[in-house]
Every structure is written in C-alpha cells, then in structure tokens.
Amino acid sequence: MTGKGADLASKSDQPRYLARHSSLFKIGFTACMTAIFAGFISLGTWQVIRLQWKLDLIAKVEQRVHAAPVAAPVLSQWPRINASADEYRHVQISGVFLHEKTVLVQATTELGGGFWVMTPMAIADQATVLVNRGFIPEKMATSYRTTSTTSTKDRPASHETVTTNIIGLLRMTEPGGGYLRKNDTAGNRWYSRDVQAIAAATGLNKPAPFFIDADASQTNNKLAAQQNESTASYPVAGLTVIHFHNNHLIYALVWFSLAAMTAAAWAYVLRDRKNSKPPGTGNPA
C-alpha cells in the first residue's frame, strides 16, 4: 500500500502503539516503585522492632543497676556471661588486689581528663577479675603506675594486700581501644578497658571476661573532687555513665516518610501521564 492509503494505515496504528508503550511503562514503573516502597516499609518496621528491643533493654538495665547487689559470677559461670543478660548487674566480690599489676586507662569524666585505675583482684579458684577502682586526674598517674619492684611503703596509702570487698556494676570488655586510638600494649598506653589484652599484658591467671566498676566508697567523694578539695579520696569511684543511644523512632519515621513519598511519586507520575496527550494524537487540521 502506497501514498495516501499507507499514511492513513500508519496513523491508525499509532494509538495502539502508544497504548501498548504506555501499558509497558506503567507495569515497569509500578514494579520498580513497589520494590522501593516495600524496602522502605521493611526498614521502618525493622527500626520499630529495634526500638522495642532498646526500650526493653533500658528497662532491664535500670532494674539491674538499682537492685540489691548479688554475688559476682564464679569461674564456672563465666562462659555464659553476655552483655544482654549481665551487663550493669549490681554485684559484690571479695579478693586481694594485685596492685603491682595495676593498669591506667585514659578516661574523660565529669571531673575532667585523667585515668581509670584498673587493678586485678585475685579471687577464689586462683582466678582474677579486673576492678575499675575509679578515676584519678593526670597529675596522680605516676603514683599509680606501680611495678613489681615497688615496695609497699612507696605505694599510695590505699594499696594494701588484704582481702577487700567490692560492690559495683558488672561491665563487659571493651576490645580494641578508643576512638581512632588503638591500645598500645607494648607502650602500656590504654584507651579502653580491654580485659583480654590487659590480662595478657600483665600476665593474669584465669582472667574473667568482664570487669567491675566499683561503686562510690564515700558519699561526699565526688563532690569533694568536683570542688578540688584535699579531702577527696582517690580513686573516685561511682562515675559509671549509663547511656544508650536510642534514635530508632527517628529512623523509623524517616523510612516510613520515604515510603509515603514513594507512593505519592508513583501516583503523581501515572496521573500526569494519563492527563497529558501523547504527541500526534491531537485534532487533525
């Protein structure tokens, strides 16, 4: 077919071609937007689940912290210790401090910069538990960096080789180091309370997989230290900060908002294509 008849046939096929093309676009576009929408909904739902888990964890921790102290886990129980079930549990333990193996871990607290005094405690079954005895300012670091050759009379007054009872919070190990700073075992520079690394560096026997943050020993201890009074007793214990990042609700709202925007974009594009006329379908001249 040639001439005017061929042109008429071509024009009559155009609406069917455009309709078929439009249908394929709708199917592909809808499938793509549905996948994106489902992804955002899944991420938002996951954040809601995480929010519930975090709130439950915070409630459990608050209960543990304010509960009466119980005996710290013994050697046979250590393999079952984990953060979700045991961290921040209020415990008490008795033993003999191994002051010659004390390690100082860099700390930033409400009292300023300084160190945590981490001293191993020898307990039953020839095992050891690291105890965070509290905070000291940087100027006091030298007197706490004891060695195996330091005599008893040269140590701080609190260094006594007698059985001591400690009440505090069970804490899990902090492996690796601090932010952008790795623990330097060779240089004896510590930025986190890495139980395994400290135990290996100091040669501890049967080290516990956790450490204990000691409670405040005196009610006016922290206040005295804040006021720079000479009456403050160091190390200052009871400075454990209990804080959990809980941004799950915000994240959930963001994901659900993106899902809503995706649905709105899908409806807008399809409506806009439906209302607009394809090229060549206008009224003939």
Side-chain angles (χ1 to χ4, degrees):
M1 185 181 294
T2 59
K4 187 175 182 179
D7 292 339
L8 291 174
S10 176
K11 289 180 179 180
S12 66
D13 290 339
Q14 189 177 35
R16 284 180 292 178
Y17 169 78
L18 292 175
R20 184 168 60 251
H21 182 270
S22 178
S23 296
L24 291 175
F25 172 82
K26 287 180 180 179
I27 294 172
F29 182 70
T30 299
C32 180
M33 298 300 279
T34 299
I36 295 174
F37 177 83
F40 287 147
I41 290 295
S42 297
L43 290 170
T45 302
W46 181 73
Q47 288 296 336
V48 171
I49 295 173
R50 292 286 293 175
L51 172 63
Q52 187 57 49
W53 169 83
K54 184 62 69 65
L55 292 175
D56 183 60
L57 174 63
I58 293 172
K60 289 180 178 178
V61 168
E62 286 293 323
Q63 184 180 16
R64 294 173 195 166
V65 169
H66 297 101
V70 297
V74 296
L75 180 62
S76 60
Q77 298 173 318
W78 290 354
R80 298 189 295 274
I81 298 297
N82 62 81
S84 62
D86 300 291
E87 188 156 28
Y88 297 106
R89 191 176 298 282
H90 206 186
V91 299
Q92 58 184 356
I93 194 169
S94 296
V96 176
F97 277 126
L98 306 177
H99 295 290
E100 71 278 6
K101 296 181 181 293
T102 292
V103 167
L104 300 184
V105 179
Q106 190 163 16
T108 301
T109 72
E110 59 187 283
L111 301 180
F115 299 93
W116 297 122
V117 179
M118 305 293 295
T119 303
M121 173 178 279
I123 61 173
D125 299 320
Q126 299 181 333
T128 52
V129 174
L130 270 176
V131 176
N132 176 13
R133 295 166 52 214
F135 170 84
I136 60 170
E138 292 187 9
K139 63 182 180 181
M140 299 182 67
T142 302
S143 63
Y144 281 88
R145 285 196 173 99
T146 58
T147 65
S148 58
T149 58
T150 304
S151 63
T152 303
K153 66 181 180 65
D154 293 327
R155 297 174 184 167
S158 61
H159 288 188
E160 301 292 342
T161 56
V162 296
T163 299
T164 304
N165 182 61
I166 291 293
I167 297 177
L169 300 178
L170 186 150
R171 302 291 309 279
M172 302 306 295
T173 183
E174 301 168 347
Y179 181 66
L180 297 179
R181 293 178 296 185
K182 292 184 177 180
N183 291 324
D184 179 8
T185 57
N188 196 30
R189 287 186 289 271
W190 302 91
Y191 303 102
S192 74
R193 292 163 291 191
D194 187 335
V195 171
Q196 286 75 19
I198 293 175
T202 56
L204 297 183
N205 185 51
K206 298 180 183 179
F210 56 86
F211 65 92
I212 295 176
D213 270 347
D215 283 350
S217 57
Q218 298 179 16
T219 56
N220 68 335
N221 203 21
K222 182 166 64 174
L223 178 61
Q226 289 173 330
Q227 296 174 347
N228 293 320
E229 295 181 6
S230 59
T231 56
S233 176
Y234 289 96
V236 178
L239 296 179
T240 304
V241 176
I242 302 174
H243 176 70
F244 295 94
H245 293 288
N246 188 12
N247 298 320
H248 299 297
L249 179 59
I250 295 175
Y251 294 152
L253 293 175
V254 169
W255 292 124
F256 288 141
S257 297
L258 290 173
M261 292 170 62
T262 301
W266 170 81
Y268 174 81
V269 170
L270 293 188
R271 185 176 64 251
D272 184 65
R273 287 182 63 87
K274 181 179 179 180
N275 295 335
S276 61
K277 291 184 178 181
T281 61
N283 295 327

